[in-house]
DNA sequence: AAAGATTGATCCTTCAATCTTC
DNA sequence: GAAGATTGAAGGATCAATCTTT
């Protein structure tokens, strides 16, 4: 049993730990509020894209916009279709492709869900002043700048 | 929320959206790095508690420390035990209770995993100065102050 | 062969129901 | 009956393999 790892990590971890907790807090609040409408964050993401598209979208396109695996979309749409919130329609030109479309019920649920999400988000941000929101956004942007540019020197982490 | 609904809405969402993305970024990096050791963030959380405990912990106690459902621990420990990283031992005084204990292999994997996590975390924070880290932590704390005190006036969100 | 979608396996998480022990 | 743990069902996500169409 060698010496306890971390210690130097304590300082760093605390910032990232807060970040994780904050992310989960937002997630949990949204999930809980959407559950009242029989919705979830994952379902709302699909409904959102479909509503913004003002028409049908290929399943692969949905996967791309939500940056997730195509098989994930297959199952998500399965559940949404079982609830009649979304409909699968054959793609016009290409018989390989399948498009997803909002139903009337789906559009109504989306409206309700979007209103709920906006309320939860506004609620969470009441603790921060306008200046603080700007400052937080800026700091997160600097952290996120990492996303497309993994540091050059040495292997990232192994 | 009395002024310009659309604009403030977009503004709020962008801060929260960044928060979610940042949270996922951290998660994904940790998950990818730990995968090289056959570990995951969830498994590391269990290993961490067991290592800190310097002995055996009841499964219910683990669920409490990780603030998750007890059934989650059951399955997590199932998988860890299948890999011989953790061992289930009968609790001394109470025949209802079962304790989990790190094996030697488990302790070794934990050491490797902890080192990897520390590296990933340090790596992610290189983009922020010491001052920025402090500022970010403070802002997140204010956001988190919401956690145990859901605003009193009016129904939270429905 | 490559693109689009699905299926099957696995992991992570929760809830409700169950079983044993207290 | 209540506490501790497990099981079963389900949502959510990923990857590898498969099937159809291009």
């Amino acid at each position: 049993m060698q010496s306890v790892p971390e210690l130097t990590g304590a300082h760093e971890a605390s910032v990232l730990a807060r970040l994780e907790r904050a992310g989960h807090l937002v997630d949990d609040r949204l999930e809980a509020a959407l559950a009242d409408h029989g919705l979830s964050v994952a379902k709302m993401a699909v409904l959102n894209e479909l509503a913004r598209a003002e028409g049908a979208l290929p399943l692969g396109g949905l996967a791309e916009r939500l940056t997730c695996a195509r098989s994930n979309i297959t199952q998500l749409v399965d559940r949404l279709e079982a609830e009649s919130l979304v409909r699968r329609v054959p793609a016009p030109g290409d018989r390989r492709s399948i498009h997803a479309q909002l139903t009337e019920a789906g559009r109504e649920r989306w409206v309700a869900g979007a209103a709920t999400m906006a309320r939860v988000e506004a609620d969470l941000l009441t603790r921060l002043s306008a200046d603080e929101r700007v400052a937080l956004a800026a700091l997160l942007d600097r952290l996120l700048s990492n996303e497309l540019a993994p540091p050059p020197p040495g292997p990232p982490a192994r």
Side-chain angles (χ1 to χ4, degrees), chain A:
Chain A
M1 188 198 310
Q2 45 266 54
S3 68
V4 187
E6 50 186 332
L7 253 191
T8 63
H11 180 229
E12 295 149 356
S14 77
V15 182
L16 295 182
R18 282 170 167 92
L19 193 54
E20 297 256 293
R21 280 202 298 153
H24 281 142
L25 173 63
V26 175
D27 254 6
D28 291 351
R29 289 282 176 103
L30 287 174
E31 217 71 71
L34 289 173
D36 293 343
H37 300 297
L39 288 173
S40 65
V41 171
K43 287 175 178 174
M44 270 303 287
V46 172
L47 263 33
N48 256 320
E49 291 304 326
L50 257 25
R52 289 202 325 158
E54 287 279 357
L57 280 182
L59 300 197
L62 271 172
E64 219 170 307
R65 297 187 190 215
L66 303 186
T67 53
C68 71
R70 291 199 289 296
S71 57
N72 191 15
I73 296 296
T74 295
Q75 300 178 108
L76 222 27
V77 170
D78 279 350
R79 293 191 291 266
L80 288 167
E81 201 170 27
E83 287 185 88
S84 300
L85 300 181
V86 156
R87 198 182 309 129
R88 274 181 169 92
V89 301
D94 192 337
R95 259 182 310 190
R96 289 174 301 179
S97 183
I98 293 183
H99 286 193
Q101 201 177 45
L102 267 191
T103 62
E104 253 327 296
R107 172 156 251 108
E108 287 165 16
R109 285 277 266 286
W110 167 69
V111 170
T116 291
M117 285 186 69
R119 237 174 289 132
V120 172
E121 285 165 356
D123 178 57
L124 281 168
L125 284 172
T126 54
R127 299 271 169 161
L128 297 183
S129 70
D131 283 353
E132 288 174 324
R133 295 177 201 187
V134 172
L136 179 55
L139 286 169
L140 291 174
D141 276 344
R142 281 179 57 74
L143 204 50
L144 259 340
S145 69
N146 221 326
E147 199 159 12
L148 290 179
R158 238 242 102 203

